[in-house]
Amino acid sequence: MKKFISIVCALLVFTVVLCSCAQAVTFQTSGAGYEVVSVETGEQALGKTAGSGNTLLTIILKTSDQYLDDAQGSFMPVDGEPCYVTDGGQQYPCAALAFESNGTDVQAVLLFEVPAAWASGTKEFSLGGGTFSPVALQK
């Protein structure tokens, strides 16, 4: 029994070490750098509800107070096309941009309405826009 508990503990430590070694996804727009904090799907987000057959994809990016204008211009420009996500087929434009604080960091929250199939399992896709090269992401 002690050997079993030792093996389980060793596996847990190994898992924690591997997870902490995973590199964060970062990218650069024309004016600032961003780090992807999380990618999630759900039926509701930012006060919006997904339409029939769709789900909402939320991408949370770490930024700072000094880059809020860059985030607005890069992801939801007033006079241009919003950023988008694509799985190599159709492009889905950003439906909303919000700014939140987690207590220490400012976060830009990007919201996309995508097919419901994106919610199940692992999904590889790209985030792109006019001021930055496409970034490969995974949900």
Side-chain angles (χ1 to χ4, degrees):
M1 185 66 169
K2 286 183 180 182
K3 188 175 184 175
F4 176 74
I5 292 173
S6 296
I7 291 171
V8 169
C9 288
L11 288 173
L12 288 173
V13 168
F14 182 68
T15 302
V16 168
V17 168
L18 281 178
C19 289
S20 66
C21 293
Q23 291 188 346
V25 175
T26 60
F27 65 97
Q28 184 77 31
T29 64
S30 59
Y34 297 89
E35 178 183 333
V36 178
V37 175
S38 70
V39 177
E40 304 167 354
T41 54
E43 293 304 309
Q44 294 184 327
L46 299 179
K48 297 188 182 293
T49 302
S52 179
N54 291 334
T55 191
L56 298 176
L57 175 74
T58 305
I59 301 174
I60 300 177
L61 307 172
K62 181 178 174 182
T63 187
S64 70
D65 287 337
Q66 63 187 4
Y67 298 124
L68 299 182
D69 287 340
D70 177 78
Q72 179 73 50
S74 296
F75 304 120
M76 283 290 276
V78 175
D79 58 349
E81 295 292 319
C83 65
Y84 61 87
V85 291
T86 182
D87 61 355
Q90 188 172 343
Q91 290 184 356
Y92 303 95
C94 186
L97 167 66
F99 297 102
E100 299 176 346
S101 175
N102 67 359
T104 57
D105 297 312
V106 174
Q107 299 175 328
V109 181
L110 305 175
L111 185 68
F112 303 87
E113 188 164 352
V114 296
W118 285 42
S120 60
T122 302
K123 180 69 177 176
E124 294 182 1
F125 62 96
S126 295
L127 169 67
T131 64
F132 60 98
S133 299
V135 180
L137 297 175
Q138 184 174 326
K139 180 208 80 60

